[in-house]
Amino acid sequence: MFGTSSGFGQSNLFGTATNAVNSNPMKDVEVSSPPDDSVSCLKFSPGVLASTFLVAGSWDNHVRCWEVQQNGQTIPKAQQTHTGPVLDVDWSDDGTKVFTASCDKTVKMWDLNSNQAMQVAQHDAPVKTVHWIKAPSYSCVMTGSWDKTLKFWDTRSSTPILSIQLPERVYCADVKYPMAVVGLAGRAIIIYQLDVQPQEFKRMESPLKYQHRCVSIFNDKKTNAPTGFALGSIEGRVAIQYVNPTNPKDNFTFKCHRSNVAPNGGFQDIYAVNDISFHPNHGTLATVGSDGRFSFWDKDARTKLKTSEQFDLPITTCCFNAQGNIFGYASSYDWSKGHEGYEPQKMKPHIFMRSCFDELKPSTKRA
């Protein structure tokens, strides 16, 4: 599938003896040859492929692909390079291509069969989000940038099909046909409907007081159509928001990724929610935070299913595979303490995979 590409880096399945004790407190499977700098995004391949592949974008300007074997072992397959950090990745629906968005202001389309990458989108500032849209009547790439535009591209043309001027920079986005949600700097959220062509459906202010960092669309349990989204903020909080709630009380927020307060009072440390991912079968969700933990939640029962032990680094991104039996997540420095807080020798990025199907089964409690 990957042409003549060779693997990359020196594969070392067991890490090195110098690893801090708590770099893998959950004893999950470690992905071999991880990136050299912080991991910004992870995506498993779509279920149409016979094998499972994992793609990661990182601040070392690379996007890497591994094959995930049945026993959990990972084989580095290929990598591509941008001239700036890679901020987002997405797969085409047929699993033959990967789209990569970068601080170099471009998006590339990586053809995995030929192992060639070509530019398919251009912005005037770093590109924060990239999503493949597969509609019955058209398919395109949606890109959101800090240049305050959202653009839709036919991969065969160097000019966008549609360019939408936004009031602010794009900070997060998600697509589940026929819905797209885009979160902007300054707490605005815009929902688009994609049926015939992309068009604005609704504009709203975030239900969270602080800047949002991640958004993930969820499906209605009965119809399986996208019906709302979860929004995570830098202030350890997630909002569950329905686009057209049958009851206003359906919308709610919950706190997460915070330290326990001592019984005699004292301060509570509050951390950013870095990513949210919904389980493809159960409709439950995972959140990951700068506190170095992942948590699993049931939004319908409004209950927490599980919280991990604390990692020695923030958890920056997460995703589920198409079958819903693997939870992938990355631990790496989030630059929250700037350059001064970075110790390259101690803060090595890791990507982990966890067998998760049963842990994400909905709660038997009801809200």
Side-chain angles (χ1 to χ4, degrees):
M1 174 169 175
F2 287 89
T4 55
S5 84
S6 60
F8 45 83
Q10 294 301 306
S11 169
N12 184 347
L13 204 57
F14 300 102
T16 50
T18 54
N19 276 357
V21 182
N22 55 352
S23 69
N24 185 6
M26 300 303 287
K27 299 183 172 50
D28 287 334
V29 175
E30 211 166 317
V31 171
S32 61
S33 306
D36 302 319
D37 202 343
S38 301
V39 184
S40 55
C41 47
L42 288 176
K43 277 273 172 74
F44 282 105
S45 52
V48 293
L49 298 183
S51 306
T52 298
F53 297 93
L54 177 65
V55 163
S58 50
W59 283 79
D60 62 6
N61 302 0
H62 284 79
V63 55
R64 294 169 170 82
C65 182
W66 296 262
E67 184 174 355
V68 182
Q69 297 185 308
Q70 293 293 333
N71 62 3
Q73 198 175 339
T74 46
I75 303 167
K77 279 294 187 183
Q79 65 179 23
Q80 287 289 342
T81 312
H82 276 267
T83 55
V86 178
L87 299 183
D88 200 15
V89 292
D90 200 17
W91 287 80
S92 62
D93 60 296
D94 62 2
T96 63
K97 295 175 182 67
V98 168
F99 299 94
T100 59
S102 170
C103 289
D104 66 12
K105 309 178 189 176
T106 71
V107 170
K108 289 183 179 180
M109 178 172 70
W110 180 11
D111 183 317
L112 298 177
N113 292 318
S114 64
N115 197 25
Q116 299 295 308
M118 59 179 271
Q119 183 180 322
V120 291
Q122 174 78 49
H123 281 268
D124 298 328
V127 187
K128 182 65 174 69
T129 67
V130 62
H131 291 86
W132 172 249
I133 296 172
K134 178 74 176 152
S137 57
Y138 70 95
S139 50
C140 68
V141 177
M142 180 181 97
T143 59
S145 167
W146 294 341
D147 67 6
K148 305 184 182 178
T149 64
L150 187 68
K151 294 183 179 181
F152 298 83
W153 306 82
D154 180 321
T155 56
R156 298 160 299 187
S157 167
S158 59
T159 52
I161 309 166
L162 177 65
S163 182
I164 300 172
Q165 197 62 44
L166 301 168
E168 256 299 354
R169 291 152 291 166
V170 174
Y171 273 7
C172 54
D174 195 22
V175 167
K176 263 196 183 152
Y177 185 83
M179 186 197 291
V181 179
V182 179
L184 308 179
R187 300 183 50 245
I189 293 164
I190 307 178
I191 301 159
Y192 295 90
Q193 56 189 49
L194 307 172
D195 326 39
V196 186
Q197 63 190 53
Q199 55 185 8
E200 187 174 317
F201 174 72
K202 192 178 196 175
R203 211 172 264 224
M204 58 184 280
E205 190 172 83
S206 167
L208 303 171
K209 278 207 296 261
Y210 293 85
Q211 182 61 60
H212 39 244
R213 178 166 284 187
C214 48
V215 67
S216 187
I217 295 173
F218 59 81
N219 289 338
D220 182 274
K221 281 201 154 162
K222 294 187 184 73
T223 65
N224 215 28
T227 187
F229 55 89
L231 191 69
S233 82
I234 57 168
E235 189 245 349
R237 207 182 285 263
V238 168
I240 300 292
Q241 194 77 22
Y242 288 83
V243 177
N244 294 310
T246 42
N247 178 344
K249 290 198 171 102
D250 291 346
N251 294 335
F252 67 99
T253 68
F254 62 90
K255 297 174 189 169
C256 49
H257 301 289
R258 296 165 176 232
S259 67
N260 294 323
V261 180
N264 56 358
F267 293 105
Q268 182 183 40
D269 293 322
I270 296 175
Y271 297 88
V273 182
N274 289 327
D275 204 1
I276 301 172
S277 192
F278 278 90
H279 191 274
N281 310 74
H282 300 318
T284 50
L285 64 147
T287 61
V288 298
S290 286
D291 57 341
R293 295 181 193 270
F294 63 78
S295 293
F296 299 154
W297 312 84
D298 181 335
K299 69 172 172 55
D300 302 308
R302 301 197 183 186
T303 186
K304 186 195 286 183
L305 303 171
K306 182 186 186 71
T307 292
S308 73
E309 301 296 319
Q310 189 164 24
F311 287 70
D312 59 349
L313 286 172
I315 301 183
T316 47
T317 181
C318 69
C319 61
F320 291 102
N321 70 332
Q323 292 74 32
N325 61 344
I326 307 173
F327 175 61
Y329 61 99
S331 69
S332 49
Y333 184 47
D334 60 0
W335 296 92
S336 57
K337 294 185 173 66
H339 191 269
E340 295 75 23
Y342 181 48
E343 296 179 65
Q345 289 324 107
K346 284 188 185 165
M347 298 180 165
K348 295 273 187 237
H350 297 279
I351 300 172
F352 299 102
M353 294 184 302
R354 179 175 186 83
S355 177
C356 69
F357 193 83
D358 289 342
E359 288 180 335
L360 277 121
K361 283 186 172 157
S363 168
T364 46
K365 302 177 201 153
R366 291 271 46 93

mmCIF file of all heavy atoms in Angstrom, residues 37 114 198 218 294 314:
data_model
loop_
_atom_site.group_PDB
_atom_site.id
_atom_site.type_symbol
_atom_site.label_atom_id
_atom_site.label_comp_id
_atom_site.label_asym_id
_atom_site.label_seq_id
_atom_site.Cartn_x
_atom_site.Cartn_y
_atom_site.Cartn_z
ATOM 1 N N ASP A 37 8.739 15.657 18.646
ATOM 2 C CA ASP A 37 8.227 16.842 19.331
ATOM 3 C C ASP A 37 6.733 16.621 19.579
ATOM 4 O O ASP A 37 6.161 15.635 19.123
ATOM 5 C CB ASP A 37 8.481 18.096 18.476
ATOM 6 C CG ASP A 37 8.478 19.392 19.302
ATOM 7 O OD1 ASP A 37 7.972 19.377 20.433
ATOM 8 O OD2 ASP A 37 8.969 20.413 18.787
ATOM 9 N N SER A 114 1.109 5.778 -3.457
ATOM 10 C CA SER A 114 2.344 6.205 -4.136
ATOM 11 C C SER A 114 3.350 6.814 -3.164
ATOM 12 O O SER A 114 4.491 7.071 -3.524
ATOM 13 C CB SER A 114 2.003 7.239 -5.216
ATOM 14 O OG SER A 114 1.474 8.405 -4.595
ATOM 15 N N PRO A 198 -21.958 23.726 1.294
ATOM 16 C CA PRO A 198 -21.803 24.223 2.665
ATOM 17 C C PRO A 198 -22.479 25.579 2.846
ATOM 18 O O PRO A 198 -22.278 26.491 2.046
ATOM 19 C CB PRO A 198 -20.270 24.362 2.801
ATOM 20 C CG PRO A 198 -19.705 23.525 1.704
ATOM 21 C CD PRO A 198 -20.688 23.570 0.596
ATOM 22 N N PHE A 218 -21.565 14.735 18.053
ATOM 23 C CA PHE A 218 -22.106 13.420 18.407
ATOM 24 C C PHE A 218 -23.406 13.159 17.662
ATOM 25 O O PHE A 218 -24.102 14.081 17.229
ATOM 26 C CB PHE A 218 -22.294 13.271 19.927
ATOM 27 C CG PHE A 218 -23.219 14.272 20.569
ATOM 28 C CD1 PHE A 218 -24.599 14.105 20.535
ATOM 29 C CD2 PHE A 218 -22.704 15.395 21.236
ATOM 30 C CE1 PHE A 218 -25.452 15.017 21.150
ATOM 31 C CE2 PHE A 218 -23.552 16.311 21.852
ATOM 32 C CZ PHE A 218 -24.925 16.128 21.808
ATOM 33 N N PHE A 294 -6.614 10.963 31.051
ATOM 34 C CA PHE A 294 -7.777 10.820 30.170
ATOM 35 C C PHE A 294 -8.944 10.351 31.021
ATOM 36 O O PHE A 294 -8.765 9.693 32.047
ATOM 37 C CB PHE A 294 -7.505 9.865 29.002
ATOM 38 C CG PHE A 294 -7.202 8.434 29.355
ATOM 39 C CD1 PHE A 294 -8.214 7.547 29.711
ATOM 40 C CD2 PHE A 294 -5.899 7.943 29.293
ATOM 41 C CE1 PHE A 294 -7.943 6.214 30.013
ATOM 42 C CE2 PHE A 294 -5.609 6.618 29.601
ATOM 43 C CZ PHE A 294 -6.635 5.744 29.964
ATOM 44 N N PRO A 314 1.298 16.308 29.855
ATOM 45 C CA PRO A 314 -0.083 16.520 29.412
ATOM 46 C C PRO A 314 -0.476 15.502 28.336
ATOM 47 O O PRO A 314 0.388 14.983 27.619
ATOM 48 C CB PRO A 314 -0.046 17.927 28.799
ATOM 49 C CG PRO A 314 1.128 18.592 29.442
ATOM 50 C CD PRO A 314 2.131 17.512 29.683
#
